[in-house]
Amino acid sequence: MDGTALEIAGGSAAASAASDDDGRVFLVPYRWWRESQESGPDDGAGGVRGILYSASPGGSPSYGMKIISNIFSSDLVFNLRKDDDLMQNGESEDGVGVSGRSYALIPSDLWSKALKWHNDAASNARSSFSWEDGLAEVYPLMLRITVLRETNVMNVKISKKDNAVENYKRACKIFSVDSEMVRIWDFSGQTDLIFMNEWNRHTRDGPRQADQEILLELQVYLLSDSLNHRIESQKDDLTVQQSKMTSYGGSLLMNGNIGNSDFRSSGSSKRFGSYGLTGLDNLGNTCFMNSAIQCLAHTPMLVEYFLGDYSREINPHNPLGMNGELALAFGELLRKLWAPDRAPVVPRVFKAKLARFAPQFSGFNQHDSQELLAFLLDGLHEDLNRVKCKPYTEVKDSCGRPDEQVADEYWSNHLARNDSIIVDVCQGQYKSTLVCPVCSKVSVTFDPFMYLSLPLPSSASRTMTITIFSSDGTSAPSSYTINVPKYGKCKDLMQALSVACSLRDNESLLVAEIYGNRIIRYLEDPSDAVSLIRDGDRLAAYKLLKDDENYPLVVFTHQRVERYIHSIMSSKKAFGVPLVARLSVAANGSTIRDLYLKLLNPFLRSSDAISDLDHSNINVGEFAKVESSNGPENEGIAEAAEVGDCVQDEFQFYITDEKCQAMHSKIDMDESTSLTGLQKQLHVIVCWQEKAPEKYDIELLNSLPEIYKSALFSKRPQEPISLYSCLEAFLKEEPLGPEDMWYCPSCKEHRQACKKLDLWRLPEILVIHLKRFSYSRFLKNKLETFVDFPIDDLELSDYIAYKTQQPSHRYRLYAISNHYGSMGGGHYTAYVHHEGANRWYDFDDRHVNPLSDETSIKSSAAYVLFYQRVQAEDSDSRSTTSTRNSPDHIIEAD
């Protein structure tokens, strides 16, 4: 909402200057009035008692109050009702107790003094605003007023037929009483005079006709116009190549670039004072929306644009847009956030528009502020696209042409179809190079971007313990503890494990996750995130010969027979770590048995160990639970021999499925019986008979440590990373994933090409998204890595590929969208640097509080960073003044 002043006069509207008391009455923003009266009388009006009025929708149902309908309807109607229930002497300094927008009705002499006070304050702040500028910004507006009989209500009607179209549109925005309460404090006595005159006439002349109206001509004064005038005048000394002039904020805009008009460094933003420090109510898990909106609503160029007359640029016929409704809703919300009244704004209307055009944001679930930001920027662009009819453009390959020529061609084609304030301010261009790994075909394209999504490189390490098993039976299993990047990939794990176990060139590792004594998955995809592996998981790695890769893989899982004491009942129970090897000979019962026995060699006990076990008091039934007798030992052996009549060995082999849930068929040990239909993998259950566990070290076979045991390792502090390292990770060359294959026009096939990105053009507002959230088939994860980002001096000269005819590549931070907590929950806030107060503020939904120290804005919660381009001569202007206007903190120069 613009700061406004309304002049109510019953006669001529031609007055050009305010005398001490010329009978005119002004309606001004209440806070603007109070600021000028801080050193005056307590009542703020020279002892005059104020009367409070509440504005509300009025008239017949045909009178629409919404801004969209106001513009196209013939009349704007609302009521002014006396509100005796609230305090009569104005709101408190911080606006507590009064919601919505508040204005004060004051006589011309007091208005003159207030205007002069603000002029003096602006002079002290080195602003070019003057009182004469204010007097020159008055335009007429005709009102029709009817006093409702036997009430304290005035019905006000503003008709399009009585006023110029632009003036009527402004009135619709001023009196948008449907979205929030509008209150008017009358310190002039003018409303009492209207009531007295009307009731005297009613008493004298009898009942009035229903259509009798009082005509009042208002003189409307918009403070935002003076702000635009000051910004425009301060740009005269800047050398800017102007391609088009727009009416909003006096900004000099060029296609895809904005002139050297640093809104914050110009000093004009200080005229906002404490404006813009308004919170947003949380409607129920809408903190993500509030955070993104506050960052956008404090983007200087967008503030200028939406506080000006942006309605002429709305494109209601764009099929890719939202009929202009999203832009109107956002513009109105931004105006409320920059209104003099600092009461928290309820963004219900904007939320409804958002849910209508983006159903994914409907309801009251928590969402991602960056996803909302991406939709909002794209939606605002399409609603405000100046291109009414998009021409057809053909994309051409580079074909060896100079990059500058190809980039300009791509950019011109883009601007031919996309031209809006969002493109002017937020869009840049990067170079994308793809190289085919087969034919070496090189493809170069230049694509626009609205923001940069930067990965967080893996600087922190993670300790992992993995046990390696041999597939030839030559060595016992060994556990290795390795360090891998905490947010790395499985290929990082494989590389570290290969080094730790001295893997030979002719060997490979097959890593599997073990759960419930069976393999539940293989870690075969090198691009899988290590974060998918939990500390409590157990991994086994099997050494295999590369030359045997074409042979079938045999997976042995173990079961043992358990007989219950004093019972003939028995059961089979899985135990141990599965053993894996490749079968390089014909598959039959004999070769499978021999392969298994070879794998068990490292687990064999020595003959002395077996003898000691047989003669000890330990009951071998710990594994077999065999019911023993008092007879000699050779009697037990004889019994085992009798049981073994149906098998040739101590083991029985069964073919099973991958999940080992059923024994499909028993494997005959006859060498002449081959296994037909053998696929790439064969799953075998080995049933250990009663005496078999005596010969093998079962504890060793059962031993498989967890990935990480916190009690065994001391936790190391997390290492911070720099924003520049994130940018380098984003720009480095890397192969495309299997799901992002590129179609090579030379090979006529999809290839896993190598991709390299380079920054080509940088926008005025650079939005950087830190990719803290990762998603997979199994889990969602948030990276809590601390990213150290520059505040006053983000220098990108070393990262830009096209350095000629470019403005400064130096940026300054002005807003941050923060996320606290974990995936699927947590809380969003925003940090915003307010130029008027020259300090950082914490926007936490409806609460807005200053931050005492600039360094506190750096945390692992930083999610989306907002930077604005600064000129070389302005790069040190903010950092050398103070630490955000903190009077008790002094910076000593070196």
Side-chain angles (χ1 to χ4, degrees):
M1 177 84 186
D2 292 318
T4 61
L6 299 179
E7 172 190 345
I8 300 181
S12 174
S16 62
S19 62
D20 287 344
D21 188 2
D22 57 7
R24 296 186 301 164
V25 179
F26 294 81
L27 185 69
V28 301
Y30 184 75
R31 187 166 297 280
W32 180 87
W33 163 247
R34 284 294 301 268
E35 287 177 354
S36 68
Q37 299 298 309
E38 288 176 349
S39 59
D42 293 338
D43 60 11
V48 179
R49 179 179 176 84
I51 301 175
L52 177 61
Y53 289 87
S54 296
S56 61
S60 66
S62 62
Y63 294 126
M65 292 303 301
K66 291 186 178 180
I67 292 177
I68 299 176
S69 60
N70 283 341
I71 295 177
F72 300 102
S73 63
S74 58
D75 295 319
L76 166 68
V77 180
F78 59 93
N79 292 334
L80 290 178
R81 180 187 302 273
K82 283 187 179 181
D83 197 339
D84 297 327
D85 296 333
L86 293 181
M87 53 189 299
Q88 297 270 327
N89 292 320
E91 61 185 9
S92 61
E93 188 61 30
D94 58 358
V96 174
V98 178
S99 61
R101 290 165 286 155
S102 299
Y103 299 91
L105 201 62
I106 58 176
S108 58
D109 58 336
L110 296 183
W111 179 77
S112 302
K113 294 176 182 178
L115 192 62
K116 185 177 184 301
W117 182 89
H118 281 282
N119 178 47
D120 294 340
S123 299
N124 294 335
R126 299 181 180 180
S127 171
S128 61
F129 174 75
S130 67
W131 184 36
E132 289 76 13
D133 293 333
L135 292 177
E137 296 170 2
V138 177
Y139 61 86
L141 185 68
M142 183 65 71
L143 270 65
R144 296 176 179 266
I145 296 180
T146 303
V147 176
L148 302 185
R149 183 177 178 181
E150 297 180 356
T151 66
N152 291 325
V153 177
M154 290 186 296
N155 181 262
V156 181
K157 180 168 66 176
I158 303 175
S159 177
K160 186 179 292 187
K161 66 180 181 181
D162 295 332
N163 299 280
V165 174
E166 287 301 317
N167 296 348
Y168 176 79
K169 290 181 180 179
R170 294 175 182 177
C172 291
K173 296 174 182 178
I174 294 170
F175 297 108
S176 57
V177 297
D178 63 319
S179 56
E180 62 178 342
M181 181 64 70
V182 176
R183 289 188 170 91
I184 300 175
W185 296 87
D186 181 14
F187 293 103
S188 67
Q190 183 73 22
T191 55
D192 272 348
L193 182 61
I194 292 176
F195 276 112
M196 291 176 60
N197 288 341
E198 283 305 295
W199 284 113
N200 287 338
R201 180 184 303 178
H202 172 69
T203 303
R204 182 176 63 252
D205 299 335
R208 293 178 285 109
Q209 298 296 325
D211 57 353
Q212 187 173 353
E213 297 173 331
I214 303 171
L215 295 179
L216 291 179
E217 189 174 31
L218 311 183
Q219 301 299 313
V220 181
Y221 167 61
L222 291 180
L223 294 177
S224 61
D225 291 342
S226 63
L227 171 64
N228 298 339
H229 177 79
R230 293 194 307 276
I231 295 174
E232 186 63 35
S233 65
Q234 291 173 0
K235 293 176 181 173
D236 294 340
D237 59 340
L238 300 176
T239 56
V240 180
Q241 181 182 0
Q242 177 180 357
S243 64
K244 66 171 112 174
M245 176 77 75
T246 60
S247 62
Y248 45 85
S251 298
L252 299 179
L253 297 179
M254 293 170 286
N255 278 332
N257 222 341
I258 196 165
N260 300 340
S261 56
D262 189 347
F263 176 83
R264 298 180 305 156
S265 62
S266 69
S268 62
S269 61
K270 295 182 183 296
R271 276 290 297 127
F272 280 117
S274 61
Y275 294 177
L277 300 178
T278 304
L280 287 165
D281 272 351
N282 193 321
L283 305 178
N285 276 335
T286 57
C287 57
F288 76 97
M289 181 183 75
N290 294 348
S291 174
I293 288 175
Q294 291 290 9
C295 293
L296 282 184
H298 288 83
T299 298
M301 292 80 165
L302 297 184
V303 173
E304 293 183 56
Y305 180 82
F306 284 102
L307 288 185
D309 185 10
Y310 65 92
S311 59
R312 74 171 76 183
E313 294 203 336
I314 290 179
N315 187 347
H317 306 296
N318 186 355
L320 300 179
M322 289 78 176
N323 305 321
E325 295 183 39
L326 184 67
L328 282 170
F330 178 79
E332 274 306 297
L333 183 58
L334 184 142
R335 287 170 178 258
K336 294 174 184 178
L337 291 175
W338 283 91
D341 196 332
R342 288 171 59 183
V345 176
V346 181
R348 187 168 287 109
V349 174
F350 178 81
K351 176 68 166 59
K353 295 292 183 185
L354 189 67
R356 176 184 173 190
F357 295 109
Q360 65 268 30
F361 298 116
S362 61
F364 299 98
N365 293 325
Q366 182 68 278
H367 294 281
D368 190 321
S369 67
Q370 187 274 333
E371 292 179 1
L372 171 67
L373 181 70
F375 168 80
L376 189 54
L377 287 175
D378 185 66
L380 290 176
H381 158 65
E382 296 296 351
D383 269 3
L384 299 169
N385 198 343
R386 304 176 187 116
V387 178
K388 302 301 188 275
C389 182
K390 295 186 177 184
Y392 170 77
T393 58
E394 183 178 356
V395 178
K396 300 178 182 179
D397 203 351
S398 57
C399 297
R401 293 181 294 163
D403 284 347
E404 293 79 3
Q405 179 182 350
V406 179
D408 289 343
E409 181 181 276
Y410 270 84
W411 192 244
S412 298
N413 290 341
H414 176 68
L415 294 180
R417 297 173 56 86
N418 303 275
D419 181 16
S420 70
I421 180 63
I422 304 300
V423 174
D424 296 334
V425 171
C426 299
Q427 283 200 351
Q429 186 183 33
Y430 61 76
K431 173 185 175 182
S432 176
T433 305
L434 290 169
V435 180
C436 178
V438 178
C439 69
S440 300
K441 163 71 177 177
V442 178
S443 174
V444 178
T445 58
F446 293 84
D447 303 310
F449 67 86
M450 197 90 74
Y451 50 85
L452 298 178
S453 289
L454 305 186
L456 304 188
S458 305
S459 63
S461 60
R462 178 182 178 187
T463 301
M464 305 181 72
T465 299
I466 302 174
T467 303
I468 294 183
F469 293 79
S470 67
S471 60
D472 56 5
T474 58
S475 58
S478 300
S479 295
Y480 294 88
T481 299
I482 58 176
N483 289 322
V484 297
K486 186 175 182 180
Y487 306 116
K489 305 295 183 181
C490 281
K491 63 180 180 181
D492 302 317
L493 182 151
M494 299 292 290
Q495 182 178 359
L497 191 60
S498 300
V499 173
C501 71
S502 301
L503 191 72
R504 296 195 295 266
D505 293 339
N506 64 337
E507 294 177 328
S508 63
L509 289 177
L510 178 63
V511 182
E513 181 179 346
I514 311 300
Y515 182 79
N517 305 110
R518 66 180 182 88
I519 295 175
I520 61 171
R521 70 180 180 112
Y522 296 99
L523 279 65
E524 295 180 299
D525 188 349
S527 62
D528 277 351
V530 174
S531 58
L532 298 177
I533 306 172
R534 298 167 297 184
D535 287 346
D537 292 343
R538 302 175 189 269
L539 295 185
Y542 302 95
K543 278 187 179 181
L544 302 172
L545 291 177
K546 292 181 178 179
D547 295 339
D548 295 342
E549 288 182 352
N550 295 326
Y551 294 115
L553 190 72
V554 183
V555 180
F556 295 99
T557 55
H558 325 286
Q559 288 185 353
R560 64 174 180 257
V561 175
E562 291 187 343
R563 287 191 183 276
Y564 301 101
I565 299 176
H566 306 300
S567 174
I568 61 173
M569 300 293 293
S570 66
S571 65
K572 296 176 181 178
K573 181 179 180 180
F575 73 98
V577 181
L579 299 178
V580 175
R582 293 195 182 275
L583 186 62
S584 57
V585 295
N588 55 50
S590 177
T591 56
I592 288 178
R593 177 197 59 194
D594 294 343
L595 179 62
Y596 184 67
L597 292 177
K598 183 173 71 170
L599 294 177
L600 284 182
N601 277 336
F603 303 95
L604 272 172
R605 296 181 186 274
S606 64
S607 57
D608 293 337
I610 296 176
S611 177
D612 291 342
L613 180 61
D614 289 341
H615 290 87
S616 67
N617 292 326
I618 301 177
N619 186 0
V620 221
E622 179 179 351
F623 302 103
K625 296 190 186 296
V626 179
E627 182 177 1
S628 62
S629 65
N630 295 327
E633 182 179 320
N634 57 0
E635 290 182 6
I637 297 176
E639 291 177 4
E642 292 177 3
V643 177
D645 287 342
C646 60
V647 293
Q648 298 179 2
D649 301 298
E650 296 143 320
F651 310 99
Q652 293 180 0
F653 299 84
Y654 298 86
I655 294 178
T656 184
D657 54 22
E658 186 176 355
K659 296 182 179 181
C660 304
Q661 292 181 341
M663 295 181 180
H664 296 309
S665 62
K666 184 177 179 181
I667 299 177
D668 192 345
M669 292 296 108
D670 187 357
E671 294 184 4
S672 62
T673 305
S674 62
L675 299 176
T676 59
L678 187 61
Q679 303 299 321
K680 297 182 67 175
Q681 283 193 17
L682 176 64
H683 295 270
V684 177
I685 290 180
V686 182
C687 184
W688 290 45
Q689 300 306 296
E690 297 171 353
K691 289 296 183 177
E694 301 176 13
K695 296 183 179 181
Y696 297 93
D697 188 350
I698 303 297
E699 289 300 324
L700 183 60
L701 190 60
N702 270 317
S703 177
L704 189 65
E706 295 179 355
I707 288 294
Y708 180 83
K709 202 75 172 180
S710 57
L712 302 178
F713 303 98
S714 59
K715 188 174 182 179
R716 297 188 297 179
Q718 189 181 38
E719 301 175 14
I721 60 176
S722 71
L723 184 62
Y724 292 109
S725 63
C726 298
L727 184 59
E728 290 165 2
F730 173 73
L731 297 177
K732 76 175 182 180
E733 182 177 359
E734 60 181 2
L736 297 175
E739 68 280 0
D740 296 322
M741 302 282 276
W742 170 65
Y743 182 79
C744 177
S746 178
C747 298
K748 306 297 182 182
E749 291 185 19
H750 286 88
R751 301 294 188 190
Q752 196 168 355
C754 289
K755 184 176 183 179
K756 174 71 170 69
L757 295 178
D758 293 289
L759 298 179
W760 193 260
R761 301 175 198 264
L762 293 178
E764 282 299 305
I765 298 299
L766 179 62
V767 180
I768 297 178
H769 164 226
L770 302 177
K771 297 173 70 173
R772 293 195 177 275
F773 300 123
S774 61
Y775 305 88
S776 71
R777 294 172 295 174
F778 303 101
L779 54 86
K780 301 177 182 178
N781 186 44
K782 180 191 176 185
L783 309 181
E784 296 287 353
T785 307
F786 177 84
V787 179
D788 187 9
F789 47 85
I791 298 178
D792 292 306
D793 190 13
L794 174 64
E795 180 56 66
L796 298 179
S797 297
D798 294 338
Y799 301 95
I800 189 77
Y802 182 52
K803 299 182 179 180
T804 59
Q805 299 181 359
Q806 285 266 320
S808 169
H809 303 133
R810 186 172 298 173
Y811 286 82
R812 180 182 295 157
L813 186 72
Y814 71 90
I816 307 173
S817 176
N818 299 305
H819 180 267
Y820 300 90
S822 59
M823 285 287 298
H827 182 60
Y828 285 92
T829 68
Y831 289 150
V832 172
H833 182 265
H834 192 279
E835 282 296 323
N838 193 28
R839 70 187 308 173
W840 284 89
Y841 283 82
D842 178 15
F843 287 76
D844 187 354
D845 287 335
R846 71 188 338 261
H847 304 288
V848 181
N849 297 300
L851 296 174
S852 58
D853 188 5
E854 175 186 87
T855 59
S856 62
I857 69 173
K858 291 188 177 184
S859 72
S860 59
Y863 182 42
V864 185
L865 308 175
F866 293 77
Y867 283 92
Q868 182 187 5
R869 189 199 304 274
V870 295
Q871 306 308 314
E873 61 272 15
D874 299 325
S875 60
D876 299 325
S877 60
R878 195 171 82 186
S879 59
T880 57
T881 54
S882 67
T883 56
R884 299 300 180 266
N885 226 24
S886 180
D888 56 348
H889 190 102
I890 301 175
I891 299 179
E892 297 182 359
D894 293 334

